[in-house]
Amino acid sequence: MRKKYILFDNDGVLVDTEYWYYMATKQALSEVGIHIDRDQFMTYMVSGKTTWDLARSQGVDEETIQNKMVDRTRYYQNCLRTEDIEIPGVEEVLKELSQTYKMAIITTSHREDFEVIHKDRSIAFYMDFVLVREDYINSKPDPEPYLAGLNKFGANPEQALVVEDSERGLVSALAAGIDCVVVHNDFTKSHDFSKATYKIKNLDELPRLLKEHGQTLKLP
């Protein structure tokens, strides 16, 4: 069945933000004596659990955690405004794909962060809709976010394709029954992508991939 719908993850696929989220989280946790390295962060990221559970397990009270969550958001948004988070060629790819496919963003980003990221970008212009963290109950790796995307399109899984960069996103897509293309991201390159339908180095490979394998997208 030909693909008609593309569901994009946001962070790490359309914008290069994963590292800065980690750095903001690391800074906020360090201020309450919790030190998290990249490998620990990855473990939480893959599982879909929150790093604040680490603070809770080490006796940090809930009021302090809530305050540090606010601080983390502030640190992260400062990075979003000041650091280079562009992924070259993204808008050109989306412009090309929008001529053939209906597209959406399905992200674990909170609405506030998403709006900061896309305030001066045209990426969302090419999308039929966006689902952020506040738009569903269970986050990736649960299938709910991508099932919600299918439902909003009125599509079945065979008609859709997910584009992800993380293991938890891949697990979410596959659990929803959707083929998933994983685009390389240096920050998440240690994740297990062995079950990906296809793997690409850059997003600009996606249009060619769809032209050549758009019927099934099965690994050669």
Side-chain angles (χ1 to χ4, degrees), residues 13 26 160 163 185:
V13 172
K26 182 178 181 179
V163 183
N185 181 339

Side-chain angles (χ1 to χ4, degrees), residues 1 98 145 155 206 210:
M1 180 179 290
S98 68
L206 186 59
L210 285 165

Side-chain angles (χ1 to χ4, degrees), residues 112-220:
E112 182 181 359
D113 296 334
F114 186 89
E115 289 176 352
V116 171
I117 290 169
H118 292 281
K119 179 178 181 294
D120 297 313
R121 293 180 172 83
S122 301
I123 289 172
F125 170 80
Y126 299 101
M127 304 296 161
D128 288 81
F129 61 85
V130 173
L131 296 183
V132 296
R133 183 63 187 88
E134 289 83 354
D135 292 323
Y136 48 83
I137 297 172
N138 299 303
S139 187
K140 305 171 188 177
D142 192 276
E144 183 185 348
Y146 284 119
L147 290 173
L150 289 179
N151 184 62
K152 195 167 180 67
F153 269 134
N156 63 54
E158 292 78 17
Q159 294 174 305
L161 176 70
V162 165
V163 183
E164 270 284 355
D165 75 307
S166 72
E167 185 178 344
R168 70 174 178 182
L170 170 63
V171 171
S172 175
L174 297 181
I178 311 172
D179 289 330
C180 183
V181 170
V182 170
V183 61
H184 175 81
N185 181 339
D186 276 343
F187 188 73
T188 58
K189 63 184 180 181
S190 64
H191 289 193
D192 180 4
F193 297 125
S194 59
K195 295 183 180 179
T197 310
Y198 222 95
K199 288 172 275 189
I200 57 178
K201 292 182 179 179
N202 300 292
L203 196 65
D204 58 14
E205 295 177 31
L206 186 59
R208 178 183 57 80
L209 175 66
L210 285 165
K211 288 177 182 177
E212 294 179 358
H213 303 282
Q215 295 297 321
T216 61
L217 279 178
K218 297 306 179 186
L219 283 165

